[in-house]
Amino acid sequence: MPRRVRHGVRFPWWLPNVGVAAAAVALFVVVAGNGVQGPAAGTAAWWVLTVTLHLPMLVIVAFLSGGVIERLGYFWRGRRPERPGRLPFRYPSVCVQLPMFNEHAVAARVIEAACALRWPRDRLTVQVLDDSTDGDTRALVDAVVARIRAGTGVNVQVLRREHRHGYKAGALEEGRKRTDAEFIAIFDADFVPPRDYLLRAIPHFYGPGGVPDHGLALVQAQWGHLNHDESALTRAQSLWVDDHHTLQMSWRSARWRFVNFTGTAGVWRAAAVEAAGGWRAASLVEDCELSFRHLFAGYRTTFVKEIVAPAELPATYTAYKAQQKRWTQGWVQVQRMHLATLLFRHRCSPGRRLHLVYHMCTSWQWPLWGLWITVLPALIHSGLWFGALGTAAGVALYVLPSLLWMSLVTALASAETRHTYTEGLTPSSFRRRFARILPYLVVNTGMLPHQFSAFTEGLFGPMHSEFERTPKAGDAASAAGAGAGATRPRRYGVKVHWPYVAAELFCVAYQLAWASVFLAEGLVWCALGAGYVAACVAYLLFRYGDHAGKVLFVLDPHRLLGARRVRRSRRAERVPAPAG
């Protein structure tokens, strides 16, 4: 897709957002202000107009149907364990790469875990790809590496670059060029790989007789959780991770022999990475971009749900938004680079092509949902919705599809994550896991304008965007592993993207305006629906800044409460004591 330029100036990615907001305001003024009404419900003109205006919903239902096929297909192909091959007599050489940038809270923990992996010491190298700019973090990394190297003899190296060219992809490529290992395992700083990870993952690159399978480029493990019960936010995230990994990726791997690398907890065949052109910072999801290049080059990738690498879920809404922005924006950039190849040049069956397009374009659900919640209130007000045929029809068509889909996903993800949790599946554990559906719905609804903005930036913004790290909370005890001289983990700033904030504020105001219109007309259920959307978005907007203990970006609730207590105490001191 060519770069959009206007008179020598880069096309502002947020301009389409402004256009959508202006169109939404115009829609509200015309429909609500002028009382526009469509044809009588049930007439031929009504059916044609209503079905046409429901096109976004129909595409959403098509995406949901694809999701149902994947989840139910898991029981057909995907549920059975992936069978590893046999390692050769002489173990292959492995390089473990740990890319990190100012990861003071978790650096020591992941370095220690990587160096504790069970593998012949003469066949193992650990590369700490430290791009940190914070002096304390660099000192912490150096101290941990020196202590481990002296105490265990593990060949662990710290590789630093003068400039962060290419961000994470640039660091991985620099490290790749400095190793001749046959396999490269990659772990982000918030992961804690189990000690037997390599012993369980590497055999999948070999057949039963120990013969290398050179067509297999990647073995991807399942993400586990270190803090899934910490808050409503982490419970919501654990649900979608369980669903995506246990159900979706297992089926994709078994049915199509292709999954995208998730950026961590995977092992690459070094020769395959070399053949595909190495790591490139062409998109914010360099892992997925490399995966599709391997697909086009004829390689296979596989997912092994039986190998679980636990990780820290983003513990704050600010961190979660930063992560999701990067992923959604990056996936759209991948489409800009590779969708045409997938559609017209990659040789495969029609069914496989359809699935791969669905796989690459899943992020389109965000703008579709954003468009739908913008248009639906106007359709309700003008009578061009199926609820005009009766309450039962409205509930069946607008509520049940999403509710049934979400219930199915939650039930299957809660029942099938046998390898992720130490606690076995019991009626009580199933109920607790199924209850994650509530925070999941709130968080996903609240993320709509944010994700819409990320999609727009990915589609219209520059291809080479800044890679913004996801803040990690970590464990102070783990981070102190460098010894008594270790400093306390620190917090790092997160960039506030004001166009995203503006989109969230507009969404709240727009939905509340429609809620007031529906209340005035006695459409209580419709008013509750619009109010629910507004409340979810407002809640996540309010929590922006919580990575630094703040709300609304700058307000410190603890300091405000402390100041209130001080004022209260001073007023009490000024009140004269009652006469005895």
Side-chain angles (χ1 to χ4, degrees), residues 62-63 66 70 251-252 256 258 292 295-296 331 334-335 338-346 348-365:
F63 271 107
E70 288 190 317
W251 183 79
R252 293 173 181 178
W256 303 115
F258 174 74
F292 276 98
L295 171 72
F296 300 147
W331 265 107
V334 169
Q335 295 167 32
H338 295 307
L339 183 56
T341 300
L342 183 58
L343 285 172
F344 307 114
R345 293 188 287 276
H346 179 58
C348 62
S349 67
R352 179 179 170 87
R353 190 184 313 279
L354 180 63
H355 163 73
L356 291 171
V357 171
Y358 164 82
H359 182 162
M360 184 182 285
C361 296
T362 303
S363 57
W364 277 89
Q365 292 181 81

Side-chain angles (χ1 to χ4, degrees), residues 222-256:
Q222 176 158 293
W223 291 8
H225 319 297
L226 295 171
N227 59 338
H228 61 279
D229 264 340
E230 182 177 319
S231 66
L233 174 62
T234 59
R235 284 190 287 273
Q237 292 176 79
S238 70
L239 173 56
W240 78 254
V241 171
D242 291 349
D243 167 52
H244 176 54
H245 279 248
T246 301
L247 303 177
Q248 281 186 293
M249 295 189 74
S250 294
W251 183 79
R252 293 173 181 178
S253 175
R255 179 67 181 89
W256 303 115

Side-chain angles (χ1 to χ4, degrees), residues 174-217:
E174 183 73 19
R176 185 185 71 83
K177 291 178 178 178
R178 296 196 189 186
T179 180
D180 58 358
E182 297 172 62
F183 298 100
I184 300 176
I186 300 172
F187 295 98
D188 281 347
D190 52 333
F191 274 70
V192 184
R195 293 196 64 192
D196 62 351
Y197 175 87
L198 295 176
L199 291 173
R200 300 180 65 192
I202 301 296
H204 288 274
F205 288 99
Y206 295 87
V211 178
D213 180 0
H214 292 290
L216 183 63

Side-chain angles (χ1 to χ4, degrees), residues 368-377 448-449 507 510-511 514 533:
L368 285 168
W369 274 109
L371 178 63
W372 183 235
I373 66 169
T374 301
V375 171
L376 181 58
L448 270 174
C507 181
Y510 183 77
Q511 295 295 328
W514 275 114
V533 174

